[in-house]
Amino acid sequence: MEKKRLVIWGEFKDYEIYLPSFRLGEWKGNIEIVAVIFLDERVVKRVDGYPVITVEELLGITFDYVIGLENELAEDMIKILGMMQISREKFLVGRIFNLPDFDFEQYLRLRESRISIISDNCWGGLTYHSLDYPFLSPFINMYVKEGDFGKLMTSFSDYMQMPLEFVRTELNTIKGNVYPVCHIGDVEIHCNHYESFEQAKAVWDARKRRLNYQNIFVKMTIETEKELEEFRKIPQRKIGFSIIPAEDKDIIDCSGMMNYIQEKYLGFWDFVNGQARSDRVDLKHYNVLKLLLGEKDYKRTE
């Protein structure tokens, strides 16, 4: 891959935090930092050999991507670039560089692949978020009823032709909100991050239209022998997180971690979701870029 020219945009403190990751990317030979923009007062002309410029001076240089280090200000940064007629596609959020053993070439290959993640709970949405990747799946901010996910995936295309239908409301015992429970056919979906069925359906339908059936990736949490057998029947590319001992190449066996998980997390689901979060400090048991790209050596632990 030809080196990609990056402009770094953020505060002094964030620049210092991310600098080792940028240096690693330079060492790998797939990025070149051509300029830095500081949100702080401009007090230096160069830093670590990189020119320090203003936002307005972006129009006078050649670059491939702007890396925004301020996650909370990302939308404001995107608006500013838009007013300068700079495409949204040229902006990436800096948190991607926090991924273990991050490789920018692999990351760009993954973005170009337009992968649709089908997950039985929030792992998919959290993975998309940590990758600063558009949601190409309706299975975001919801979970599928235990026992239904394997059935869903073995006839996935058929189920996705069915409409999302309201069934009832339930109480989220963790957050205290009331949310809609829905069906597609005989598969039950809990839209536990939505306030109403109307909201959940509008988002579901919009994201369903983005599905890339040519690049489906499935994630499933496995807590029973029955679920393990259901997982093994899923025909698509997949990853399972299991508390049942398993040596399958597409399963991360967590059976030996249960004491640790019980001490640190709300439950196994919380641990699995934590593996996908960019803001959760814990050992990551897989390289997410290698995993989603289908590389065999994606596991970091055994």
Side-chain angles (χ1 to χ4, degrees):
M1 181 188 82
E2 182 181 336
K3 285 183 181 180
K4 298 301 181 182
R5 294 157 296 189
L6 308 185
V7 175
I8 310 305
W9 189 3
E11 292 185 345
F12 294 155
K13 62 180 179 62
D14 293 307
Y15 170 81
E16 297 285 60
I17 291 170
Y18 281 96
L19 181 60
S21 297
F22 297 141
R23 290 298 203 195
L24 178 59
E26 289 178 316
W27 177 79
K28 289 182 176 181
N30 52 32
I31 69 169
E32 176 188 358
I33 297 176
V34 297
V36 177
I37 302 170
F38 283 126
L39 292 170
D40 310 81
E41 182 181 354
R42 189 180 182 186
V43 295
V44 296
K45 295 180 180 180
R46 299 184 73 83
V47 59
D48 298 319
Y50 311 131
V52 178
I53 66 172
T54 64
V55 176
E56 292 74 18
E57 290 174 315
L58 266 177
L59 297 176
I61 65 172
T62 301
F63 65 92
D64 296 299
Y65 296 97
V66 174
I67 309 298
L69 305 186
E70 288 289 318
N71 293 332
E72 297 80 7
L73 298 179
E75 292 303 318
D76 291 333
M77 291 176 169
I78 292 167
K79 288 179 183 177
I80 292 171
L81 295 178
M83 290 187 288
M84 299 171 66
Q85 304 300 308
I86 296 174
S87 168
R88 167 67 179 89
E89 297 301 313
K90 285 184 170 286
F91 180 85
L92 299 173
V93 176
R95 63 175 172 268
I96 61 176
F97 283 87
N98 281 334
L99 295 170
D101 195 24
F102 178 76
D103 184 280
F104 199 65
E105 180 180 2
Q106 288 179 330
Y107 177 75
L108 293 183
R109 281 199 286 122
L110 181 62
R111 285 189 73 89
E112 291 168 1
S113 75
R114 294 188 54 78
I115 191 168
S116 287
I117 300 173
I118 313 302
S119 176
D120 57 348
N121 66 4
C122 293
W123 184 91
L126 291 167
T127 296
Y128 275 131
H129 178 74
S130 70
L131 292 169
D132 189 27
Y133 201 108
F135 293 151
L136 303 182
S137 167
F139 291 84
I140 307 293
N141 292 331
M142 57 186 60
Y143 70 90
V144 180
K145 178 186 175 183
E146 181 180 351
D148 279 2
F149 193 69
K151 177 172 57 178
L152 167 70
M153 295 316 306
T154 52
S155 301
F156 183 68
S157 296
D158 292 336
Y159 276 108
M160 296 313 295
Q161 302 306 311
M162 302 175 187
L164 188 72
E165 298 179 325
F166 176 77
V167 178
R168 63 183 185 277
T169 58
E170 280 196 12
L171 175 66
N172 185 332
T173 57
I174 296 176
K175 294 191 174 182
N177 63 300
V178 174
Y179 66 86
V181 178
C182 308
H183 275 183
I184 46 172
D186 57 355
V187 169
E188 186 167 287
I189 298 177
H190 289 246
C191 304
N192 54 318
H193 289 274
Y194 296 93
E195 296 179 358
S196 67
F197 169 69
E198 291 73 21
Q199 179 193 30
K201 187 176 188 306
V203 174
W204 171 273
D205 289 343
R207 291 173 178 163
K208 188 167 78 168
R209 289 192 289 270
R210 302 176 198 162
L211 270 170
N212 179 10
Y213 287 92
Q214 305 308 310
N215 192 12
I216 296 289
F217 184 85
V218 179
K219 172 267 169 190
M220 181 174 172
T221 303
I222 302 164
E223 299 188 65
T224 65
E225 292 285 354
K226 181 180 178 181
E227 287 176 332
L228 178 59
E229 291 308 310
E230 290 175 352
F231 174 81
R232 287 170 170 160
K233 294 176 183 177
I234 293 175
Q236 299 88 350
R237 283 200 307 125
K238 59 192 174 183
I239 182 68
F241 295 85
S242 178
I243 62 173
I244 307 299
E247 297 182 358
D248 306 53
K249 61 180 177 56
D250 47 17
I251 287 179
I252 293 181
D253 184 345
C254 304
S255 59
M257 309 176 201
M258 291 313 297
N259 288 340
Y260 173 79
I261 291 170
Q262 290 168 359
E263 290 177 4
K264 301 286 186 178
Y265 291 90
L266 297 175
F268 186 49
W269 63 270
D270 189 35
F271 166 78
V272 173
N273 285 347
Q275 287 288 296
R277 293 177 61 141
S278 57
D279 61 348
R280 182 69 67 88
V281 180
D282 203 339
L283 177 67
K284 299 295 189 288
H285 292 268
Y286 57 93
N287 180 313
V288 66
L289 297 179
K290 290 183 176 182
L291 171 67
L292 297 180
L293 286 169
E295 298 185 13
K296 294 180 180 179
D297 62 339
Y298 72 89
K299 292 183 181 180
R300 299 183 61 223
T301 61
E302 58 181 45

